[in-house]
Each structure stands twice: as C-alpha cells, then as structure tokens.
C-alpha cells in the first residue's frame, strides 16, 4: 500500500506536520513555563530586592516590623499590602509566615492544614538554615521540572525571626499548557487535513505526468512508437518526457534501420544461389533457403544435421571450432558437385552451425571442358606437325629421292601446313566470338541471295561427288538483318558437311521459308547420318562422330561450334531435325530483324 509514490508523499507530509507540531508544541510549552518562572522571580525581586541579598527597602521595613511583639501579624499586613505586586491569589499563589527557627506555620493566606500538605522544599530548608547560622540568604532557586515555584525569605528583627514563604503551585501555567496543548492538537488535526489535501494535489501534479510516462513506456515496450507523450511542463519531469520522446523516436529509427537490414538479408537469403542452412545447438534446422533444398534434391526442413552432413563432419566437431575457423568438403548429390562449408556461428547455448553450399558443377564442367579443349588443340596440331617434321626429315636425310616422290612429300607438307592454318584460323574465330571481340557487321540483305551464293559455291564440289543438289526454296524470301559473310559461312559449313558426309551420288536438299518473325533454312542429306547418342554433342568443340573420316575430309571439328556461336549472336538457333530415313537434316532459324542497337540499314 505504501509502495505507491502517492501514499509515500501523503505519509511524508503527515510525518512532517506531526513532527513540526510536536517540536513547536514542546518549544512553546517549555517557553511558557520558563516565562512563568521568570515572571515569578522578577515579581519577587521587585518586592524583596536582589535574590542574593535581602537589603531592599521593603525587607528593611519587614525586619523592623518583625522586631515588634506581634511580628507575624505585622508581617502579614505588610505582605498583604504588596499582594498585588507579588501576584498573590488564594488559588495558585499563597504566602505563609513561618517561625524562623522551627519552621512552624504562624499565619498566611491559607490555613495551617494547607501548609502542612506542602512538602519541605529546598528553598525552605535554605532559609531555615540561614537563620540558624545567622546569615540571611534567600532561598529562591526553583527547578523547571519541579512542578511548583517558591521563595523563602528569612526575616530577622530583634529576637524574632520569621520566614516569609511564597509558594506557587503552577496551576496557572499547567492550565495554560493544557490550553496550549489543546490548541496544538487542534492545529495539528487541521494541519494534517490540509497536508493530506495538499499532498493529494501535489501528487496529482507530480504523479500524473509520471503515470503518463509509464503508459508511454509500456506502449513503446509493446512496439508502438507512433504516439508521443505530451510535454506539459518545463520542470525535470518535462525534460524527462522530452528525453523519453526523443529516445522513442531514435529507437524507432534504429528499429526501422534494423528491420530494413533484416529484410535485405532475408531477400538475399531467399534469392541467393548459394544454399544456406542454420542449425541450432541440438542439430535441428533453424533456417534454410530454397537453394539448399534445390541443391540437395529434397525438402531439408524434414531433416536434421546428422542426416544431412553428419557422416562427413560430426556435429560436435564443427561446434568445437573457434570462430573464424571452418571446415569444408565436397558432396556429390544427384550429379551435382557441391562445395560444403561448415562453421559455428556463436559460442555457448544459443550457438549453432551455419552450412553454406556452393554448386560448382558448372565450374567443374567448364574446367573439364577447358582441359579437354587444350588437350584437343594439342592433339589436333601434333598430328600435322609430326607429319610435317617426318616428311621434312626424310627429304633432308635421303639424297636420291625421285623427283615425283619429293614433290608428293612437299605436297603433304603443304597440305598439313594448310590444315594447321585452318585449325588456327578456326580457333582464332572461336576465341574472338567467345570474347565478344568479333563485331557483327549487321546489314540488310536478301536471305535468298545468300543461300543462292552458298549453293553456287558448292555446286562444283557436289557435282564432283556425283551429288544431286536440290534447291527447294521459292522466290518469296524476305530481306534479313545480319552479318552476311558470317551467315554465309554458317550455311557453307552445313551444306559442306552434307556433301562431305554423304557417300558419292547422294541427294542434298536445301529448303528455306518464313515462320512468323523468323526465316529458316534446312539442309537435308541422305548420307551416313549421325547416331542418336552423338546428336547433342556435334556442336561441341572438336567433337566428331568419325574422327578419321572428318580429318580425311579436311574437317577440324570446329565448324559447327563456330556456326552455333554465329547463329546465337544473331539471336537465332541451329539444331538437328528428326527426320525419317537415313541422313541428316540441319535447321537454321534467324530473326528477320535484329532488335539490337547499331543495326545498319544499308540495303
Ligand atoms: P568437321 O570439321 O569435322 O566437319 P563439324 O563441327 O562441322 O566438324 O562437324 C562435327 C561432326 O559432326 C563431324 O565431324 C561429323 O562427324 C558430324 N556431322 C556434321 N554434319 C554431318 C552430316 N551432314 N552427316 C553426318 N555427320 C555429320
């Protein structure tokens, strides 16, 4: 109950008021008593003179009166005459005339019985002792705690000695103090009431903004940064509220930035080609991106670490690594080669293992192809080089070679050199196409004319081989955009192959037409054909179905790969077409217009 600031404030106010009133009350009451005692002795002094001596005029006349026979009565008269100055009243302050030697009651403002009820006070004893010893000391010391005030004046006149004893029972001061106490208690009650009201008011002004701040903090804790708390004062709480609002807005900005970063990472995680899986410390999957399932060929969320990678790297081994250490290995899954990297991502209970999978299938394949290519090039060049060298050596070492044999050797050397030049030229063309350095000189030209010129060029060779060259295409072929000489090179290669790989006396058909936005050209022969398993591969570099026959006919195995590169650069396609019967059909498709910039419109 007293935990709330509100109650604490009320309690503090109550304690403050009560202690204040208690101090004021005690101080007041002590002061009043002190004042009353001072007043008493001042009155006594004004009548009897200085307390240390009894040499005042009134005391002298008292002594004279005391010397007379009815001294006690005389003294009484004298005292009565100064009753006003002495503040005597029969209720609280009385006087008694006592016998100086015995201390017996002689007369007074009260009767003997009343005097006998009084105790013997130190002042009375002092006065009696002073008379006995012949001195005249006034006993007038009074204690604030004594509960009474008194003064005893020894009066000696002639043989007579008396003690004038004035006794005040302090009832007046007690009554005054009771009155004061009552007033203080009443004041205390009113003060308490006011302090309760005040503390309520004060706490309202102090606590309301604090309560509002608390509500605001609760809203922020719940993630609602939209509402700011109104600042209604410039005091410390006002400053705190402003600071809180600033803090909330900075927090919102920071959270937004963090959220943005997280979204970026999420998007990256979702779309990255590398597979990423995070495992918890018990080996279960925390996160995984779609690439992982794709690479491993199964939905990984149904598995745990041990099932996925446990055989290669035990979980505890990876967990015991110190960051940034990691382990790596290679997996082969469904014909894919995957590089696997495993590392712990954090220490302790909340830690786990992060696995990254990198698909290196294409890279490995490229490397393989590159190696194969280099081996092929070396092989293709070595054969003619060996031939050239051996014929050259024979010519050098043999002295009497017949002239016609020498010529035939030299012819072989020349043809092998041509072959090598041919290979090197083809390789250069391919490398230019690969690196994008081979510019296509795009022009508009009649498609039909290009086919015609290719057919004319091979006509003689076809005739020599006894082939029948059939041009099936009609006159209605459009103008197309492309690099004319390179496209003619492609056509030449395809028609040349048909002639080369068809036994003498075959039939080679050339057809062309339009489909949609494209033109097509088909070259069919009834030659040796291409076995099913080789059909996909004949566009690869140096790939030949029958190496001996290709080499014999001067082929390099690069013709179709160059053709494919050129056609692709024209956004077209080149492929084998299935057809009935023996032989081969190659189909080239080219767009009529090229979309690319820089198209040259020379016609
Ligand atoms: P090459 O210089 O050896 O002719 P190509 O790249 O032009 O090289 O052809 C690759 C291989 O495809 C040839 O070696 C040949 O085995 C096969 N080929 C191409 N065209 C035909 C065809 N019309 N008939 C049969 N085989 C063919």
């Amino acid at each position: 109950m007293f935990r709330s600031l509100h109650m604490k404030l009320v309690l503090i106010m109550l304690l403050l008021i009560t202690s204040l009133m208690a101090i004021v009350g005690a101080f007041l009451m002590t002061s009043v008593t002190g004042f009353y005692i001072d007043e008493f002795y001042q009155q006594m002094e004004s009548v009897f003179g200085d307390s240390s001596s009894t040499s005042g005029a009134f005391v002298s006349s008292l002594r004279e009166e005391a010397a007379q026979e009815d001294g006690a009565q005389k003294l009484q008269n004298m005292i009565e005459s100064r009753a006003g100055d002495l503040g005597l009243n029969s209720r609280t302050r009385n006087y008694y005339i006592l016998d100086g030697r015995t201390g017996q009651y002689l007369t007074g403002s009260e009767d003997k019985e009343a005097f006998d009820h009084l105790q013997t006070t130190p002042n009375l004893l002092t006065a009696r002792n002073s008379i006995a010893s012949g001195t005249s000391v006034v006993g007038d010391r009074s204690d604030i705690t004594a509960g009474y005030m008194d003064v005893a004046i020894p009066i000696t006149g002639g043989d007579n000695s008396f003690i004038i004893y004035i006794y005040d029972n302090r009832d007046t001061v007690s009554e005054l103090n009771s009155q004061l106490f009552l007033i203080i208690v009443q004041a205390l009650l009113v003060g308490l009431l006011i302090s309760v009201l005040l503390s309520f008011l004060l706490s309202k002004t102090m606590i309301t903004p604090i309560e509002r701040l608390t509500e605001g903090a609760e809203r922020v804790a719940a993630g609602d940064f939209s509402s700011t708390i109104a600042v209604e004062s410039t005091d410390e709480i006002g400053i705190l509220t402003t600071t809180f609002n600033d803090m909330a807005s900075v927090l919102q900005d920071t959270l937004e930035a963090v959220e943005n970063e997280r979204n970026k990472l999420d998007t990256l995680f979702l779309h990255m080609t590398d597979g990423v899986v995070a495992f918890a410390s018990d080996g279960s999957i925390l996160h995984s991106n779609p690439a992982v399932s794709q690479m491993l060929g199964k939905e990984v969320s149904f598995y745990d670490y041990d099932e996925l990678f446990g055989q290669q790297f035990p979980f505890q081994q990876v967990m015991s690594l110190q960051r940034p250490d990691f382990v790596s290995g290679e997996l082969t899954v469904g014909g894919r080669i995957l590089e696997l990297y495993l590392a712990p991502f954090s220490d302790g209970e909340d830690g786990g293992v992060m696995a990254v999978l990198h698909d290196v299938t294409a890279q490995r394949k490229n490397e393989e192809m590159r190696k194969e290519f280099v081996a092929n090039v070396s092989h293709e060049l070595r054969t003619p080089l060996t031939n050239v060298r051996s014929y050259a050596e024979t010519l050098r070492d043999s002295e009497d070679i017949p002239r016609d044999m020498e010529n035939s050797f030299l012819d072989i050397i020349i043809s092998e050199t041509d072959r090598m030049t041919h290979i090197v030229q083809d390789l250069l063309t391919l490398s230019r196409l690969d690196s994008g350095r081979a510019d296509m000189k795009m022009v508009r030209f009649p498609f039909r004319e290009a086919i015609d010129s290719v057919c004319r060029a091979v006509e003689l060779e076809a005739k020599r081989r006894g082939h029948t060259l059939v041009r099936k295409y009609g006159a209605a072929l459009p103008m197309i955009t492309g690099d004319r000489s390179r496209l003619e090179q492609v056509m030449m290669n395809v028609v040349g192959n048909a002639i080369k790989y068809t036994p003498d006396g075959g039939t080679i058909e050339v057809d062309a037409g339009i489909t949609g936005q494209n033109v097509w050209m088909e070259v069919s022969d009834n030659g040796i054909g291409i076995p099913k398993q080789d059909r996909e591969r004949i566009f690869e570099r140096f790939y030949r179905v029958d190496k001996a026959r290709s080499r014999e006919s001067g082929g390099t195995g690069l013709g179709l790969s160059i053709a494919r590169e050129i056609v692709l650069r024209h956004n077209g396609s080149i492929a084998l077409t299935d057809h009935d019967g023996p032989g081969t059909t190659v189909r080239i498709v080219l767009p009529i217009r090229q979309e690319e910039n820089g198209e040259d419109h020379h016609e």
Side-chain angles (χ1 to χ4, degrees):
M1 182 192 177
F2 295 112
R3 276 185 161 177
S4 78
L5 197 60
H6 189 86
M7 283 318 291
K8 277 182 190 158
L9 216 70
V10 171
L11 210 68
I12 288 171
M13 286 295 252
L14 291 185
L15 278 173
L16 204 76
I17 294 290
T18 314
S19 51
L20 203 72
M21 290 311 264
I23 293 167
V24 168
F27 183 73
L28 257 178
M29 275 148 78
T30 322
S31 301
V32 165
T33 311
F35 174 78
Y36 199 72
I37 294 172
D38 284 354
E39 182 70 14
F40 174 79
Y41 287 108
Q42 265 172 25
Q43 279 180 335
M44 295 305 124
E45 229 173 82
S46 69
V47 175
F48 298 110
D50 198 324
S51 60
S52 57
S53 68
T54 51
S55 53
F58 183 62
V59 174
S60 305
S61 33
L62 282 173
R63 281 189 189 131
E64 280 167 21
E65 294 295 321
Q68 294 180 35
E69 202 159 317
D70 54 346
Q73 189 56 51
K74 294 271 185 215
L75 286 181
Q76 184 176 17
N77 291 341
M78 291 225 21
I79 296 296
E80 288 283 353
S81 69
R82 299 294 298 268
D85 295 336
L86 289 168
L88 294 172
N89 60 41
S90 52
R91 199 171 58 79
T92 61
R93 196 177 292 181
N94 288 294
Y95 71 91
Y96 310 94
I97 313 282
L98 312 175
D99 186 289
R101 286 179 190 87
T102 62
Q104 288 296 310
Y105 171 85
L106 297 175
T107 182
S109 55
E110 278 189 312
D111 54 15
K112 183 174 181 320
E113 206 169 307
F115 176 74
D116 289 344
H117 277 105
L118 300 178
Q119 60 202 92
T120 311
T121 65
N123 281 345
L124 210 48
L125 282 175
T126 315
R128 277 173 64 183
N129 289 340
S130 74
I131 288 174
S133 61
T135 56
S136 57
V137 177
V138 178
D140 66 353
R141 277 167 292 128
S142 183
D143 187 355
I144 192 162
T145 59
Y148 64 89
M149 299 172 293
D150 65 344
V151 67
I153 301 123
I155 302 290
T156 313
D159 293 337
N160 297 335
S161 61
F162 301 96
I163 293 171
I164 297 171
Y165 184 56
I166 296 171
Y167 180 86
D168 188 307
N169 61 13
R170 276 209 215 161
D171 274 0
T172 312
V173 75
S174 298
E175 272 167 29
L176 202 63
N177 277 345
S178 315
Q179 286 288 324
L180 258 179
F181 186 72
L182 206 71
I183 290 169
I184 285 167
V185 168
Q186 284 170 351
L188 180 67
L189 287 176
V190 175
L192 288 181
L193 200 74
I194 291 172
S195 73
V196 168
L197 284 175
L198 261 180
S199 59
F200 266 102
L201 269 177
L202 201 68
S203 68
K204 206 172 153 46
T205 51
M206 274 174 68
I207 290 169
T208 309
I210 293 177
E211 281 174 349
R212 231 179 280 142
L213 251 177
T214 311
E215 277 168 25
E218 278 166 0
R219 277 202 301 275
V220 168
D224 171 18
F225 298 95
S226 55
S227 50
T228 48
I229 306 163
V231 183
E232 280 166 5
S233 58
T234 51
D235 59 8
E236 284 85 347
I237 290 182
I239 295 167
L240 180 63
T241 312
T242 313
T243 315
F244 180 84
N245 283 337
D246 292 349
M247 185 197 75
S249 102
V250 170
L251 204 63
Q252 185 177 15
D253 291 350
T254 313
L255 276 180
E256 273 171 11
V258 170
E259 182 70 17
N260 263 345
E261 282 304 309
R262 209 172 62 92
N263 285 345
K264 263 194 256 171
L265 281 179
D266 277 354
T267 314
L268 185 77
F269 192 62
L270 199 68
H271 299 293
M272 68 194 291
T273 49
D274 280 354
V276 180
V277 207
F279 296 96
S281 55
D282 62 354
S284 60
I285 290 185
L286 289 173
H287 306 289
S288 69
N289 66 351
V292 182
S293 298
Q294 217 179 347
M295 283 181 188
L296 297 178
K298 55 190 173 190
E299 180 49 54
V300 287
S301 52
F302 299 132
Y303 298 86
D304 65 7
Y305 179 89
D306 285 338
E307 289 164 319
L308 292 174
F309 311 122
Q311 282 202 324
Q312 273 197 301
F313 301 103
F315 191 67
Q316 284 313 320
Q317 180 198 337
V318 184
M319 279 294 273
S320 61
L321 292 173
Q322 291 293 316
R323 281 183 304 143
D325 289 351
F326 64 92
V327 286
S328 63
E330 214 169 85
L331 295 175
T332 310
V333 184
R336 286 174 190 253
I337 306 165
L338 305 174
E339 269 178 5
L340 169 66
Y341 297 90
L342 293 166
F345 59 77
S346 165
D347 310 319
E349 281 283 297
D350 296 335
V353 169
M354 194 70 118
V356 178
L357 286 166
H358 186 54
D359 191 340
V360 290
T361 319
Q363 193 183 325
R364 291 290 156 82
K365 205 170 157 193
N366 275 343
E367 278 168 23
E368 281 302 312
M369 277 170 63
R370 195 180 49 79
K371 280 184 201 156
E372 205 180 312
F373 183 71
V374 172
N376 279 333
V377 171
S378 322
H379 181 78
E380 291 299 325
L381 290 175
R382 200 172 54 219
T383 318
L385 271 174
T386 316
N387 286 345
V388 168
R389 186 185 167 91
S390 53
Y391 284 106
E393 274 175 353
T394 314
L395 284 175
R396 185 193 62 191
D397 298 340
S398 319
E399 279 160 15
D400 46 355
I401 300 179
R403 182 82 187 142
D404 50 346
M405 190 190 263
E406 194 180 281
N407 280 344
S408 92
F409 280 13
L410 286 171
D411 282 347
I412 292 171
I413 290 176
I414 289 167
S415 94
E416 289 295 311
T417 320
D418 282 350
R419 206 174 130 63
M420 285 193 285
T421 313
H422 199 168
I423 292 175
V424 171
Q425 264 170 355
D426 278 359
L427 283 173
L428 266 175
T429 310
L430 262 180
S431 118
R432 277 206 203 98
L433 286 166
D434 281 348
S435 64
R437 275 182 290 122
D439 287 337
M440 296 289 142
K441 293 191 192 71
M442 295 295 185
V443 290
R444 297 276 288 163
F445 65 91
F447 188 49
R448 189 173 193 281
E449 257 182 34
I451 304 175
D452 277 344
S453 84
V454 170
C455 287
R456 270 198 308 275
V458 298
E459 224 162 36
L460 212 66
E461 174 67 6
K463 201 177 254 174
R464 198 180 64 77
R465 301 277 307 268
H467 293 320
T468 316
L469 188 66
V470 186
R471 300 188 205 181
K472 290 172 79 180
Y473 54 89
L477 286 174
M479 303 279 283
I480 66 159
T481 310
D483 186 326
R484 181 169 179 166
S485 69
R486 286 192 199 271
L487 286 177
E488 281 184 8
Q489 185 188 344
V490 173
M491 294 172 190
M492 185 71 94
N493 185 272
V494 174
V495 180
N497 278 349
I499 293 170
K500 267 196 298 189
Y501 299 108
T502 302
D504 290 356
T507 306
I508 290 129
E509 290 178 354
V510 180
D511 199 359
I514 312 173
T515 30
Q517 300 295 309
N518 299 317
V519 288
W520 56 268
M521 176 194 181
E522 259 181 17
V523 180
S524 310
D525 62 57
N526 57 353
I528 57 169
I530 300 169
K532 226 183 177 88
Q533 71 271 16
D534 297 310
R535 297 175 75 105
E536 283 296 309
R537 303 198 58 190
I538 56 160
F539 295 98
E540 287 176 17
R541 291 165 194 198
F542 291 113
Y543 193 84
R544 284 172 290 201
V545 178
D546 182 343
K547 290 192 173 43
R549 185 197 280 259
S550 163
R551 224 172 265 136
E552 238 172 59
S553 56
T556 58
L558 293 170
L560 283 181
S561 33
I562 293 173
R564 188 180 61 171
E565 292 298 331
I566 292 171
V567 171
L568 287 179
R569 291 286 295 270
H570 283 82
N571 305 312
S573 66
I574 176 167
L576 293 182
T577 312
D578 291 332
H579 72 164
D580 299 330
T584 309
T585 301
V586 179
R587 182 184 173 93
I588 301 166
V589 180
L590 291 165
I592 294 171
R593 287 188 170 275
Q594 295 293 329
E595 296 293 320
E596 276 177 35
N597 290 338
E599 186 178 303
D600 207 339
H601 290 282
H602 303 303
E603 308 213 342

